[in-house]
Amino acid sequence: MQYEVKNKRLAEWVREVAELVQPDDVYWCDGSKEEYDRLMQEAVEMGAATPLPKRPNSFLFRSDPSDVARVEARTYISYPDKEQAGPTNNWIHPDELKATMRELYRGCMKGRTLYVIPFSMGPLDSPMARIGIEITDSRYVVCNMHIMTRVGTKVVEKLGEDGTFVPCLHSVGAPLEEGQQDDPWPCAPMEKKYISHFPEEDLIWSFGSGYGGNALLGKKCFALRIASAMAKRQGWMAEHMLILRLTSPEGRQYHIAAAFPSACGKTNLAMIQPTIEGWKAETIGDDIAWMQIGPDGRLYAINPESGFFGVGPGTSYDSNPMAMESLKENTIMTNTALTDDGDIWWEGMDGPKPDHAIDWKGRHWTPDKTEPAAHPNARFTAPASQCPIISPDWEKPEGVPIDILIFGGRRASLVPLVFQSYDWDHGVFLGSTASSETTAANIGSVGNLRRDPFAMTPFCGYNMADYFQHWFDMGDRLGDKAPHIFYVNWFRKSPEGKFIWPGFGDNSRALKWMCERVDGKAGARETAIGYMPSEEDLDLTGLDMPAEDLAELLEVDEEGWRAEVPTIDSFYADFGERLPERLREQLRKLKERLG
Ligand code: GTP
Ligand code: SPV
Ligand code: MN
């Protein structure tokens, strides 16, 4: 041990795990730059990482071609009773799951180092922060955790003798025999991958994958799945939401938290460059919000993370300049293409395609190839502090007071650009019925329409019906201090398959309308699905788009919505008696309004 660990439970847990997984070494991470540099150097030497000379202190990793995204089909929420996990989660009884996984873990770190990563989700001085300890055998994981969370000896100090932490056990599941050459990206085959959560013990066991949300256990596993279950018990909220501050030309600040499914625009909205005069945006978080009711009765949010694990493809100076600026140094790239001048590239980056590159599988690539050069879920890991518009208040221990909550998803048709809920209950209904086309952020089919309530389908650590009830309970406690709730869809397409809304910076036009609604200034018409802006209610200055497209974006297709109702009915039916009556009531009202 390189430093003193007074916490008995921690020392004991690490000892027990080491006995099971049989590593060559145990190393306690201190979170220092020297540590990061040393591990990266090792990764480069063994051929797992490529230095990127154009971006100081930045490196490219190529994953195994089978290990490129979250694996929802191998993700488990394990309670003694299946009902507690609910119909939207995979379930195996804890005894059975642990028995299976214990056998997988046995000796799984042979030939490797066991790294102990003490990390804090949330600024260390925040009352909302929570501590986790990740055990991993992956250098890539350690380096990513350095960026994504607050790692270091301070965390162990804060833990003291009897502080509590979430144990997060991770292994790539690829032990090395004596003399065996290591793989650049070791991992286990799909049927041996398990991303398991035991919410009754606040415990995470992940095996077999080295990628993103499967392996950086502070993120989806802890900050969403385990935290959502904690939050239910303790009366707060853990949500798949970006956090953004907008300041009007008059200097009034609005804080916005928005839940969109994976790869549906959170990072982009979090770093928006408004196209409307005089409005300014600051980023607070791009993926996860922890929220609790403050002393003044309002809802306060912190970003529990300290970095961005963002989607590469589609990110450019044109679409998201603030992300591009965040990636200039100290960045880990995963599954991007490598250009001949030693930089990275992905589809949708500014400028012409490179004439030649090495693709994410390490093969020669030229623009005539049908396969993309970067994997569609290629990612960058960058420190949040490098974002030029990171809010000076992004690490405020008490968080920021939320005025506006937004739900949304990727829908090529039907769902309009923006609308507002009639009240909190109606807003919860909108969140619960959110739907989106699936993306490359999960291994599985892309473009399939599914219900993704609150963008939490893959991330809710307990029965989703009880989670819906939790939203009602929070609303009841917030009363007239509750944030206003909106729904958006930036992704409407023409019959030719082109996006009809320009999106990105122009999404500020929808945000401005929301802010003005909060202040009771902007107009709206009552429709079957909620308050809708008419053209004259939106600031469309300088927007060049065909009038018929705009009309389509702001239209409520009642026929289409009537066809949607039975799909909501059947989605709700999955929850049986557990579904809150208040949601059934909302669905009845929608049917009435649709006539
Ligand atoms: P996760 O990190 O998986 O949670 O994704 P995210 O929700 O942060 O999504 P992100 O902002 O990274 O966007 C994903 C993809 O959608 C990228 O290719 C973006 O370029 C694209 N995108 C984001 N916002 C818009 C928009 O307003 N319009 C269009 N057409 N595309 C967008
Ligand atoms: C998501 O899929 O929502 C992500 C990426 O933010 S991952 O960390 O892999 O979950
Ligand atoms: Mn996400």
Side-chain angles (χ1 to χ4, degrees):
M1 237 177 257
Q2 302 93 296
Y3 46 84
E4 198 192 354
V5 176
K6 293 191 187 131
N7 193 285
K8 286 201 192 63
R9 189 175 153 236
L10 173 55
E12 184 61 30
W13 177 62
V14 172
R15 202 169 332 135
E16 274 170 21
V17 170
E19 217 172 279
L20 178 65
V21 300
Q22 298 163 35
D24 283 5
D25 293 302
V26 174
Y27 173 82
W28 291 73
C29 298
D30 60 19
S32 66
K33 182 166 174 353
E34 292 70 40
E35 178 175 279
Y36 184 94
D37 292 346
R38 180 162 28 86
L39 292 174
M40 268 304 180
Q41 196 49 45
E42 288 172 17
V44 170
E45 277 161 21
M46 65 153 307
T50 308
L52 298 166
K54 297 246 155 134
R55 296 168 196 261
N57 191 32
S58 300
F59 301 87
L60 165 65
F61 285 77
R62 290 189 199 103
S63 82
D64 187 275
S66 69
D67 200 26
V68 293
R70 285 184 296 100
V71 283
E72 291 176 18
R74 306 293 307 168
T75 300
Y76 295 90
I77 302 295
S78 181
Y79 287 93
D81 180 0
K82 187 174 194 302
E83 267 286 291
Q84 293 171 280
T88 58
N89 284 313
N90 298 317
W91 175 87
I92 296 175
H93 190 282
D95 294 344
E96 183 189 336
L97 186 53
K98 282 187 177 172
T100 305
M101 290 190 74
R102 220 175 265 121
E103 285 322 301
L104 292 168
Y105 280 129
R106 199 175 299 286
C108 74
M109 293 194 191
K110 274 188 188 151
R112 300 191 182 281
T113 297
L114 179 161
Y115 301 95
V116 184
I117 314 170
F119 65 95
S120 174
M121 297 312 290
L124 269 154
D125 58 347
S126 169
M128 281 193 249
R130 298 279 190 284
I131 290 176
I133 309 285
E134 176 157 355
I135 288 179
T136 184
D137 49 10
S138 160
R139 291 183 194 90
Y140 172 84
V141 167
V142 177
C143 290
N144 273 274
M145 289 294 284
H146 265 233
I147 298 174
M148 294 304 297
T149 73
R150 294 156 175 96
V151 172
T153 46
K154 279 210 175 74
V155 176
V156 180
E157 278 162 33
K158 185 176 167 185
L159 208 50
E161 278 179 34
D162 48 17
T164 58
F165 63 92
V166 174
C168 308
L169 173 54
H170 172 253
S171 171
V172 294
L176 288 170
E177 297 306 325
E178 197 71 37
Q180 185 186 339
Q181 171 86 31
D182 199 1
D183 203 85
W185 185 282
C187 61
M190 192 56 91
E191 68 278 8
K192 286 191 180 168
K193 288 188 194 351
Y194 286 89
I195 318 299
S196 304
H197 308 74
F198 305 94
E200 289 193 325
E201 300 168 68
D202 291 339
L203 174 68
I204 300 163
W205 280 10
S206 166
F207 186 91
S209 168
Y211 202 92
N214 302 329
L216 314 176
L217 302 187
K219 197 174 179 57
K220 300 299 154 101
C221 298
F222 179 173
L224 287 177
R225 299 195 190 98
I226 292 295
S228 63
M230 283 179 166
K232 167 80 173 169
R233 299 194 298 267
Q234 299 166 359
W236 51 283
M237 307 172 96
E239 301 296 333
H240 193 201
M241 289 179 171
L242 68 96
I243 312 167
L244 163 71
R245 170 184 289 169
L246 263 192
T247 307
S248 74
E250 296 75 39
R252 159 121 157 79
Q253 289 183 347
Y254 304 83
H255 292 101
I256 300 176
F260 309 144
S262 302
C264 291
K266 287 183 301 302
T267 300
N268 278 268
L269 193 65
M271 299 177 191
I272 191 171
Q273 293 291 91
T275 51
I276 44 173
E277 252 327 274
W279 287 70
K280 196 182 101 185
E282 292 164 37
T283 309
I284 293 164
D286 84 323
D287 198 51
I288 299 176
W290 282 1
M291 302 188 284
Q292 73 174 25
I293 299 176
D296 61 358
R298 300 180 67 192
L299 189 62
Y300 282 77
I302 65 160
N303 169 12
E305 303 188 280
S306 61
F308 309 126
F309 185 63
V311 177
T315 305
S316 66
Y317 274 97
D318 189 40
S319 64
N320 192 351
M322 293 303 114
M324 295 301 283
E325 285 291 314
S326 309
L327 312 180
K328 286 172 130 175
E329 53 189 350
N330 310 314
T331 297
I332 301 173
M333 301 289 181
T334 308
N335 288 341
T336 67
L338 178 67
T339 59
D340 294 347
D341 59 353
D343 201 5
I344 55 102
W345 187 79
W346 51 59
E347 277 66 23
M349 212 182 247
D350 314 80
K353 293 180 179 182
D355 294 333
H356 175 265
I358 303 295
D359 75 1
W360 69 275
K361 288 182 178 169
R363 304 170 306 186
H364 289 284
W365 181 92
T366 44
D368 58 309
K369 290 275 190 298
T370 48
E371 283 181 49
H375 187 277
N377 192 41
R379 299 248 168 189
F380 53 80
T381 317
S385 58
Q386 289 183 186
C387 180
I389 57 160
I390 194 78
S391 172
D393 291 334
W394 81 282
E395 299 191 279
K396 244 186 165 178
E398 69 275 28
V400 295
I402 299 297
D403 302 283
I404 291 168
L405 292 169
I406 309 177
F407 305 120
R410 203 178 261 275
R411 288 286 303 255
S413 62
L414 186 68
V415 180
L417 179 69
V418 56
F419 54 104
Q420 182 185 9
S421 78
Y422 285 121
D423 51 31
W424 183 269
D425 276 27
H426 183 224
V428 176
F429 172 76
L430 296 182
S432 76
T433 55
S435 57
S436 194
E437 290 140 22
T438 51
T439 67
N442 171 48
I443 290 182
S445 58
V446 171
N448 273 7
L449 187 62
R450 71 167 179 186
R451 293 281 156 203
D452 191 352
F454 298 84
M456 284 289 277
T457 299
F459 309 120
C460 187
Y462 58 103
N463 191 310
M464 185 71 85
D466 300 347
Y467 168 89
F468 295 156
Q469 184 57 48
H470 186 50
W471 269 85
F472 286 122
D473 295 342
M474 291 300 293
D476 292 343
R477 284 171 59 201
L478 286 159
D480 61 4
K481 296 194 171 127
H484 298 249
I485 299 179
F486 296 81
Y487 198 100
V488 303
N489 176 22
W490 314 138
F491 298 95
R492 281 289 284 271
K493 283 185 175 170
S494 68
E496 298 76 42
K498 281 194 130 158
F499 291 116
I500 58 178
W501 174 247
F504 304 105
D506 283 313
N507 295 335
S508 59
R509 301 175 192 278
L511 299 184
K512 180 180 172 183
W513 179 72
M514 295 178 200
C515 294
E516 291 177 345
R517 290 294 296 166
V518 166
D519 292 341
K521 284 188 201 150
R525 58 185 206 279
E526 289 186 24
T527 75
I529 60 170
Y531 292 116
M532 290 274 306
S534 299
E535 237 170 86
E536 62 273 17
D537 301 317
L538 292 174
D539 184 344
L540 300 172
T541 319
L543 181 72
D544 182 22
M545 76 180 280
E548 59 272 23
D549 283 356
L550 195 61
E552 197 177 326
L553 287 169
L554 300 179
E555 181 200 46
V556 178
D557 168 9
E558 294 202 348
E559 196 55 48
W561 283 97
R562 273 192 288 273
E564 192 90 343
V565 165
T567 73
I568 299 176
D569 260 325
S570 73
F571 171 66
Y572 276 180
D574 292 346
F575 300 100
E577 287 303 296
R578 218 151 169 150
L579 188 85
E581 177 51 34
R582 282 156 86 171
L583 284 180
R584 287 189 214 284
E585 172 67 16
Q586 287 297 321
L587 183 55
R588 267 195 299 277
K589 285 185 176 166
L590 172 66
K591 284 178 192 165
E592 259 168 47
R593 289 193 299 262
L594 285 168

